Amino acid sequence: MISYFLLFFITGCCIITYDIAKHTKYKSLASFCILTITIFIVGFRYKVGVDTYNYMYHYADVPLINNIEWNDLFAYNYQPLFLLLSSACKSINSDFYLFQLIHATIVNTIIFSFIRKNTSYTFTGYFIYLTTYFMYFNFEILKESLAVVVFLIGYQQLEKGKLFKFYLYVIIAFLFHISAIITIFFPLIKHLKLNKRFYFTAIGFTIFLAFSYSFLGLFSFWGKLAQKAITYATVAEQSVLNFNWLITQMLIYVIFPFILLITFKKKISSYSCEHIFCFTILLGLGIIEYQIVFSRFINYCIPFIFLCCTNIIGESYRQKTGIKIWKIGLISLFLFIFNYNFLSHNGYSRWYPYYSILNEQINKDREKLWGGFNL
């Protein structure tokens, strides 16, 4: 717990010093220190994160790099590039913590760079990242978080109009995690806006998904992709998810993005993010029918959503106190509900308390939670 609070405290102090007071001395050093602490916390954790248990468990079966054959790349449970990364790390050192450290370095370096390049309120952006999707990306969805950060690099090419280079990054992201298939649609959503056409699109999209189960068989030739989609599509029938979970998803990915878009439409449009908010709402509606599939797709929108929140809060630093409070209050409520999604119903045991490899301890609640997901 101290590790988390230390990271949040340092980042909070930097918000006051650099984002609000606008000092510049040692700003780059402070940014590097926060990144380094973040990487160490993630890389040297001991059984923190429910899905981390799964990766540790399967790591023993990962072949060494010189033993991998061509067929292994497409026959293994992992996507090809994730298998190669895991295998390369294991070939250097069989200890899983080396993989954790390298994974943490890749994911956090790219996300920190993405924030730094796209907002003047760098430390506010870091703080929002660290208090929202940081633990989810680093402790749970290790394969997909690599796909997301590759996509973030590729998105820069899309903004420059370089579609060929963009789709090269899409392919790389897909070879880390199959959910990256959703990124092929990003060039097509640039003109999405909150207007009458969007409302009709949302209604039509929801109706289409309601009748789409019968079409899943058409994708049988996709092999693993279809198998994964069908598994995720039927997970609700296994009582893993419930109605309260669905309501929370609607709040996070449909209602709040809609409220923020209505409230800050001009600002969001000026950040060139209106289409991302609209796309997030569409994907959020998809959760009604395909809970896990579309919640995974939304992960590619999350960094942009919270980057907009960063800029909105950051601009309030220069305005009157009353305006600042309600803006920060609205977005803080959004952040609270986002975290509630993970931390409710004993979900906090996923990431709290924190144990490192220097203090290897077993958390019984976390072990039980992992067992519940892997019956």
Side-chain angles (χ1 to χ4, degrees):
M1 296 292 285
I2 295 177
S3 301
Y4 295 141
F5 285 125
L6 176 64
L7 182 60
F8 298 156
F9 177 75
I10 293 174
T11 308
C13 290
C14 288
I15 291 174
I16 297 171
T17 304
Y18 298 110
D19 291 355
I20 297 177
K22 296 297 181 182
H23 294 298
T24 57
K25 192 174 183 180
Y26 303 124
K27 182 177 180 179
S28 296
L29 178 61
S31 180
F32 176 77
C33 288
I34 292 174
L35 172 60
T36 302
I37 295 171
T38 301
I39 291 172
F40 283 174
I41 288 175
V42 177
F44 294 128
R45 72 187 185 276
Y46 179 73
K47 290 189 175 182
V48 178
V50 173
D51 221 15
T52 292
Y53 277 73
N54 292 325
Y55 288 105
M56 293 179 71
Y57 179 79
H58 292 294
Y59 196 67
D61 299 327
V62 172
L64 298 179
I65 195 74
N66 58 348
N67 293 331
I68 292 181
E69 298 181 1
W70 177 257
N71 292 335
D72 293 331
L73 294 177
F74 300 95
Y76 200 74
N77 289 329
Y78 293 158
Q79 288 291 97
L81 288 184
F82 190 83
L83 174 61
L84 288 174
L85 177 62
S86 302
S87 180
C89 293
K90 187 174 180 180
S91 299
I92 297 171
N93 190 318
S94 60
D95 200 324
F96 183 73
Y97 307 123
L98 175 65
F99 170 80
Q100 285 188 163
L101 186 61
I102 291 176
H103 179 276
T105 302
I106 295 171
V107 169
N108 290 288
T109 298
I110 295 175
I111 291 179
F112 271 59
S113 176
F114 169 76
I115 294 170
R116 190 170 59 252
K117 290 179 180 179
N118 290 283
T119 182
S120 300
Y121 311 101
T122 306
F123 296 96
T124 303
Y126 292 167
F127 189 83
I128 289 179
Y129 163 58
L130 293 171
T131 54
T132 53
Y133 60 101
F134 155 66
M135 294 179 187
Y136 180 51
F137 272 36
N138 284 276
F139 300 158
E140 304 296 342
I141 55 170
L142 273 62
K143 291 181 293 183
E144 189 176 12
S145 61
L146 287 170
V148 172
V149 298
V150 169
F151 167 69
L152 291 180
I153 299 174
Y155 192 81
Q156 298 173 18
Q157 302 301 320
L158 178 60
E159 290 184 319
K160 296 175 183 178
K162 298 179 179 180
L163 283 179
F164 179 75
K165 288 186 177 180
F166 168 73
Y167 279 115
L168 285 180
Y169 281 103
V170 167
I171 293 171
I172 295 172
F174 181 80
L175 292 175
F176 274 114
H177 197 269
I178 60 175
S179 63
I181 193 171
I182 194 64
T183 61
I184 66 176
F185 295 104
F186 273 76
L188 307 177
I189 66 169
K190 292 291 288 185
H191 300 293
L192 277 178
K193 292 184 178 180
L194 192 65
N195 51 29
K196 290 182 179 179
R197 182 180 298 178
F198 173 76
Y199 295 133
F200 284 118
T201 301
I203 294 171
F205 181 66
T206 305
I207 294 173
F208 169 76
L209 289 179
F211 294 96
S212 61
Y213 276 99
S214 58
F215 299 124
L216 284 178
L218 297 176
F219 297 95
S220 58
F221 63 88
W222 282 74
K224 272 185 169 183
L225 183 61
Q227 182 181 1
K228 200 79 170 181
I230 292 171
T231 300
Y232 282 162
T234 57
V235 71
E237 299 174 6
Q238 304 168 14
S239 300
V240 176
L241 308 177
N242 55 41
F243 184 72
N244 289 335
W245 181 89
L246 185 60
I247 292 297
T248 304
Q249 307 313 298
M250 291 299 100
L251 278 172
I252 297 171
Y253 300 125
V254 177
I255 296 174
F256 255 98
F258 181 76
I259 291 174
L260 293 175
L261 192 50
I262 290 291
T263 307
F264 306 109
K265 193 173 188 300
K266 289 185 178 179
K267 290 187 179 296
I268 290 173
S269 297
S270 68
Y271 305 144
S272 301
C273 273
E274 184 173 357
H275 64 291
I276 300 289
F277 274 78
C278 290
F279 195 43
T280 301
I281 292 170
L282 289 178
L283 295 177
L285 291 172
I287 293 177
I288 297 173
E289 294 296 330
Y290 299 99
Q291 286 82 3
I292 302 299
V293 173
F294 280 88
S295 64
R296 285 304 190 97
F297 287 162
I298 291 174
N299 289 330
Y300 295 87
C301 299
I302 284 177
F304 300 96
I305 296 294
F306 286 114
L307 182 67
C308 276
C309 291
T310 297
N311 284 320
I312 292 170
I313 289 177
E315 288 190 7
S316 72
Y317 296 152
R318 299 175 298 175
Q319 299 176 6
K320 294 180 181 179
T321 304
I323 299 176
K324 181 194 303 184
I325 289 175
W326 79 263
K327 283 184 178 181
I328 295 178
L330 180 61
I331 295 176
S332 296
L333 181 59
F334 175 41
L335 303 183
F336 173 80
I337 296 175
F338 185 89
N339 284 313
Y340 174 81
N341 181 44
F342 298 106
L343 303 182
S344 61
H345 303 100
N346 205 37
Y348 62 87
S349 60
R350 289 171 177 263
W351 311 319
Y352 308 96
Y354 174 85
Y355 298 129
S356 75
I357 60 175
L358 301 177
N359 182 29
E360 295 185 358
Q361 295 187 43
I362 300 296
N363 182 271
K364 293 182 179 179
D365 290 333
R366 192 174 298 150
E367 294 269 333
K368 185 178 180 181
L369 192 60
W370 175 61
F373 280 120
N374 293 277
L375 292 175

